[in-house]
Amino acid sequence: MWEADAMSTALRYVGLDVGGTTMKAAVIDDEGIAAPAVSLPTEAHRGQEAGLERMCETIRAAVSAAGMTMDQITAIGVATPGIMDIAAGLIVDPPNLKPWKNVQVRGHIAEVFQKPTAFQNDANAAAFGEYWIGTGRDAHSMVLFTLGTGVGGGIIIGDQVIEGRHSHGGELGHMRIQLRGGRLCGCGRLGCLEAYASATAVVARAREEVATYTGSTKLKELLQSASGEEFSSRTIFDAAAHGDELAEKIVDDTAFYLAVGATNMMHSVDPDLILFGGGMIAAGESFLNRIRKHVHEIALPIPAERCEIRYASLGSDAGFIGAAACARQLIHRQRASSK
Amino acid sequence: MWEADAMSTALRYVGLDVGGTTMKAAVIDDEGIAAPAVSLPTEAHRGQEAGLERMCETIRAAVSAAGMTMDQITAIGVATPGIMDIAAGLIVDPPNLKPWKNVQVRGHIAEVFQKPTAFQNDANAAAFGEYWIGTGRDAHSMVLFTLGTGVGGGIIIGDQVIEGRHSHGGELGHMRIQLRGGRLCGCGRLGCLEAYASATAVVARAREEVATYTGSTKLKELLQSASGEEFSSRTIFDAAAHGDELAEKIVDDTAFYLAVGATNMMHSVDPDLILFGGGMIAAGESFLNRIRKHVHEIALPIPAERCEIRYASLGSDAGFIGAAACARQLIHRQRASSK
C-alpha cells in the first residue's frame, strides 16, 4: 500500500511508459510499491516537441497523484518504443510515434527535472519490471515475450537488461524461425516469429485457413458477419475454447511457433524462466499448457524439463514499473560505486 | 614470449581442454602469454577414473613443459565437452567421452592439486579464450559459432560467460531455424542449425544434391571416386573455389544458414562481434563474405550494418586458453571481492 507520508529520505522513482496512444506513469518506492498511475494521450502527430512536453506533464501528474512534490523524487525512468539508441538516450525512428525522429528523451527529461534519468526500450523495461516485482521476482535470469500487435521481447540476466550493443537486444519478434518461404513480417523480412505468432498474425493466418478449409467451422461464419476489427485473435481463441476444430489448429500452431521462440532462447541464454505477456495471454492457462507441451517436444531434455514457462503478471503496468526499476538500478549502482 | 624465470609472485594458470580424442593443456600467465602446449590421448574407453588421472597427468606435463613446478601455479581451469552441470563441476553424460557418466571433474582436480579450479563447457571456454586474447579481445560482447563435426557456440557479455541456468547457454547448434519438415539433427530433433551447417551436414547435403542434380558437376565424380572419409566439406569448398556450380550453391546455402544463426543472435543478444571458428573456416575469406552478404539481407538494418562478423583466431588452442581465462577470472573475482 502506497504511503505518501513515509519518511522523506526514502528512495522514490517516477516510471514513465511512452506508448503509441497513451503515456502512463506512476511514482514507485524502492520496494516496488506504486502510487496510483496516471495516463495522458500521446498525440504523437503533434510532433516531438509537444511529445517531450507531454512526457513532462505525465511525470508531474504522477507525482501529484502520489500526493508528493518533485523534490521527493530520487530519479526518473523513461521507456519508449521503436528504434532507439539507448546509450545515447535517443528515440531514433519510432514507427508508432510518427513523425518523431532522433528525439533526445533522456537529456531533455534530466534537464527539465534535474534528476538522474534512466532510459530504456519499452519491451526491455517490461521484462525488467516483471523481473523486479512481477512473475520474475525470484528468477536470476528471464526472457519475456510480449504478444500483442507485434511480438516484443526482453532478456534479463542477473540484474542486467541485455539491451545489446546496438540497442537491438531482445528483438525476439524478429528471430527468424523459417529458413525460406516464410511469412512476410511487418518489418519487411520473411520468416520472423512475429509474422507467425503476434495477434495480428493469428488473425491473418485464420483468414487464410478459413479460405481453404473444407470442413465445418464457426470461424467462417464469424469472419463473414464481423467487421474487420471484430474478428480478433480473441475470437479465434474463444472458438477454440468452444471446440471448433480449425480454431484449435490455429491456436495450437501459434503455441508451436512460440515454443520454437522459447526453445531458441533456452538453447542460447538458457534462463531460469520464460514469460509470455501482452494482450494474447487472455487466452489463459490452456494456451500456456500448449506452449509447454510443444517445448517438451522440441527443446533439449534438461532445459525442457527445468526451465519454467509462465505468464507475466503486471499487465500493461509492466512498462512504467520497469522504467522505475531502471531508475532504481541507476541510483543503486551509483551508491554501490561511490562506497 | 613465455619466460619461465619471471618473478615467482606472478599469476599463472593451467588451462586444460578435454576433447574426445586428446587432452591439451598449457601454462598461461596473467597477460595471456602461453608456455608450450602439451597433448595426451584421452582414451575415454578406459573409463572415467583413468580419464581423471589422465587430466592430472596432462596438467603436470603442461607445468613441466613450462619449466615450472606446481607451486608456481595460481589456479587451474578445465574445459570439457557434452552435457554438464557447470555449477556443480560435473560432466553428466558426454557423447564423445563414453562410457563416462556423472564425473566430478572440478572437485577431483581441486583436491589433487589443492588449487582454485574453474570448470567450463568447451565451446563456452573457446569463446572466452577468443574474448580474452583472440579476435574478440577488443569486444565487450561476443558470440562464437564453432563449425566442426557439429556446431558449437558460446556467448560472452561484458566478461560474463553466459553458461545458462541449466548449463545449456550457447547451445547454438540446436537453435531451430526451420519450423517443420527440417533436417534431422544428431540430437534427434528436427530443424537445428547444426543439421544444416556443420561440416557433417554440408557433406550430407552435398550427397543429396548430387543424387538429384541434372547439370554437370565435379562433385559427382569426386563422390564416386572417393572413399567415405575423403569426401569432406573441404572437398566441396575446394570445388566451389574452382567454380563448380553445384558446389557453389551448397557453400552459399551453408553461408545462408549461418547467417540465419548470426541474425538470431543479433536480434536477441545483439553483440559487438560475431565470430566463426572451427575446422570449416579453412574455407577462407570468401566464405565469410558470403555469410556477411546474407546477414545484410536478412538482419535488421542497424545490427546488419554495425555488428562485426569475423573469423576466430586461436584455432584449436581456444579451448585451453579459455579454460585458463576462466581460472584467471576466478582469481581476479576472489581478489576483487576480498578488497
Side-chain angles (χ1 to χ4, degrees):
Chain A
M1 186 63 200
W2 174 256
E3 295 184 53
D5 53 3
M7 47 187 256
S8 66
T9 55
L11 300 173
R12 290 189 202 87
Y13 315 98
V14 182
L16 168 67
D17 185 17
V18 178
T21 52
T22 58
M23 297 190 187
K24 209 167 171 183
V27 175
I28 306 186
D29 73 12
D30 206 56
E31 309 301 315
I33 311 287
V38 298
S39 273
L40 290 176
T42 302
E43 299 174 323
H45 63 272
R46 292 176 53 219
Q48 58 202 54
E49 288 306 317
L52 287 168
E53 185 39 50
R54 181 56 51 90
M55 290 183 206
C56 295
E57 264 179 81
T58 313
I59 289 167
R60 286 189 198 99
V63 174
S64 294
M68 306 186 78
T69 56
M70 212 61 214
D71 57 3
Q72 292 172 280
I73 300 300
T74 317
I76 298 170
V78 184
T80 68
I83 296 167
M84 299 163 59
D85 183 334
I86 299 172
L90 279 179
I91 306 185
V92 176
D93 191 5
N96 299 325
L97 296 173
K98 289 198 181 300
W100 300 10
K101 270 225 156 68
N102 299 318
V103 190
Q104 180 43 267
V105 175
R106 192 183 54 212
H108 183 81
I109 301 295
E111 167 126 358
V112 168
F113 295 104
Q114 295 289 310
K115 303 276 181 195
T117 301
F119 183 60
Q120 191 51 267
N121 170 275
D122 57 357
N124 293 347
F128 204 39
E130 292 286 346
Y131 180 84
W132 182 27
I133 59 167
T135 310
R137 85 181 73 86
D138 297 322
H140 174 77
S141 53
M142 193 198 92
V143 174
L144 171 69
F145 290 87
T146 309
L147 313 176
T149 320
V151 173
I155 303 172
I156 314 293
I157 304 176
D159 274 333
Q160 199 181 352
V161 177
I162 305 301
E163 58 188 44
R165 171 58 177 262
H166 317 96
S167 303
H168 278 62
E171 286 290 345
L172 304 181
H174 304 291
M175 178 195 302
R176 193 177 182 113
I177 56 171
Q178 174 74 17
L179 284 172
R180 309 209 199 249
R183 296 184 66 84
L184 180 63
C185 185
C187 74
R189 268 158 288 270
L190 298 171
C192 297
L193 175 61
E194 177 168 308
Y196 290 84
S198 68
T200 319
V202 171
V203 170
R205 282 171 31 230
R207 286 181 193 278
E208 291 165 19
E209 299 239 10
V210 164
T212 59
Y213 192 65
T214 54
S216 140
T217 175
K218 253 190 145 170
L219 288 185
K220 192 165 280 182
E221 212 177 294
L222 288 165
L223 187 54
Q224 282 163 350
S225 66
S227 75
E229 300 244 319
E230 281 166 19
F231 189 77
S232 68
S233 62
R234 184 66 179 260
T235 320
I236 298 151
F237 280 99
D238 284 350
H242 286 87
D244 185 272
E245 233 174 76
L246 180 61
E248 276 193 10
K249 176 188 179 302
I250 293 162
V251 166
D252 197 63
D253 284 349
T254 308
F256 171 73
Y257 302 138
L258 293 172
V260 170
T263 295
N264 285 350
M265 287 296 99
M266 291 181 191
H267 297 171
S268 52
V269 167
D270 181 19
D272 299 4
L273 175 65
I274 291 184
L275 287 188
F276 292 93
M280 229 161 73
I281 71 172
E285 200 67 14
S286 71
F287 183 55
L288 193 59
N289 283 334
R290 282 179 195 264
I291 299 173
R292 289 174 175 146
K293 184 198 71 172
H294 286 295
V295 164
H296 268 268
E297 287 164 6
I298 65 178
L300 288 163
I302 292 176
E305 186 63 40
R306 300 191 194 159
C307 181
E308 276 197 81
I309 300 181
R310 298 174 64 188
Y311 278 148
S313 56
L314 302 179
S316 62
D317 292 351
F320 72 77
I321 292 171
C326 293
R328 177 175 179 267
Q329 182 172 67
L330 189 66
I331 297 303
H332 283 256
R333 285 188 175 167
Q334 280 177 359
R335 295 191 161 203
S337 69
S338 66
K339 266 176 193 165
Chain B
M1 186 62 200
W2 173 254
E3 295 184 54
D5 53 3
M7 47 185 256
S8 66
T9 56
L11 299 173
R12 289 188 202 89
Y13 315 98
V14 182
L16 169 67
D17 185 16
V18 177
T21 51
T22 59
M23 298 191 188
K24 209 167 173 185
V27 175
I28 307 185
D29 73 12
D30 206 57
E31 309 302 314
I33 312 286
V38 299
S39 273
L40 291 176
T42 303
E43 298 176 323
H45 64 273
R46 292 177 53 222
Q48 59 202 53
E49 287 306 317
L52 287 168
E53 184 39 49
R54 182 56 51 88
M55 291 183 206
C56 295
E57 265 180 77
T58 313
I59 289 167
R60 287 190 197 99
V63 174
S64 294
M68 305 187 79
T69 55
M70 211 63 215
D71 56 3
Q72 291 173 281
I73 301 300
T74 317
I76 299 170
V78 184
T80 68
I83 296 166
M84 299 163 60
D85 182 335
I86 300 173
L90 280 179
I91 307 184
V92 175
D93 190 7
N96 300 325
L97 296 173
K98 286 193 184 304
W100 300 10
K101 270 225 155 67
N102 300 317
V103 190
Q104 180 44 267
V105 176
R106 191 183 56 212
H108 183 82
I109 301 294
E111 167 128 356
V112 167
F113 294 104
Q114 295 289 312
K115 303 275 181 196
T117 302
F119 184 61
Q120 191 51 268
N121 171 276
D122 57 357
N124 293 345
F128 203 41
E130 292 286 345
Y131 180 85
W132 181 28
I133 58 167
T135 309
R137 83 181 73 85
D138 297 322
H140 173 77
S141 53
M142 193 198 92
V143 174
L144 170 69
F145 290 87
T146 308
L147 313 176
T149 320
V151 173
I155 304 172
I156 313 293
I157 304 176
D159 274 334
Q160 199 183 351
V161 177
I162 305 300
E163 56 189 44
R165 171 59 177 263
H166 317 95
S167 304
H168 278 62
E171 286 290 345
L172 304 180
H174 303 292
M175 179 195 300
R176 192 176 183 115
I177 56 172
Q178 175 74 17
L179 284 172
R180 308 206 199 251
R183 296 184 65 85
L184 179 64
C185 184
C187 75
R189 271 156 285 271
L190 298 172
C192 296
L193 175 61
E194 176 168 308
Y196 289 85
S198 67
T200 320
V202 171
V203 170
R205 282 170 31 229
R207 285 180 193 277
E208 292 165 19
E209 300 240 8
V210 163
T212 60
Y213 191 66
T214 54
S216 140
T217 175
K218 253 191 146 171
L219 289 186
K220 193 165 282 184
E221 213 178 294
L222 289 165
L223 187 54
Q224 281 162 350
S225 66
S227 75
E229 300 244 319
E230 281 166 19
F231 188 77
S232 68
S233 63
R234 184 66 178 261
T235 319
I236 298 153
F237 280 99
D238 284 351
H242 287 87
D244 185 88
E245 232 174 77
L246 180 61
E248 276 194 12
K249 176 188 180 300
I250 294 163
V251 167
D252 197 63
D253 284 348
T254 308
F256 171 72
Y257 303 138
L258 293 172
V260 170
T263 296
N264 286 350
M265 287 296 98
M266 292 181 190
H267 296 171
S268 52
V269 167
D270 181 21
D272 299 4
L273 175 65
I274 292 184
L275 287 189
F276 291 93
M280 228 160 75
I281 72 173
E285 199 68 14
S286 71
F287 183 54
L288 193 59
N289 282 332
R290 283 181 195 263
I291 299 174
R292 289 174 174 143
K293 185 199 72 174
H294 286 295
V295 164
H296 267 267
E297 287 164 7
I298 65 178
L300 287 164
I302 293 176
E305 186 63 39
R306 299 190 195 159
C307 182
E308 276 197 83
I309 299 181
R310 297 175 64 189
Y311 278 149
S313 55
L314 302 179
S316 62
D317 292 352
F320 72 77
I321 293 171
C326 293
R328 177 176 179 267
Q329 182 172 67
L330 189 68
I331 297 303
H332 283 256
R333 285 188 174 167
Q334 279 176 359
R335 295 189 163 205
S337 69
S338 66
K339 263 174 196 166

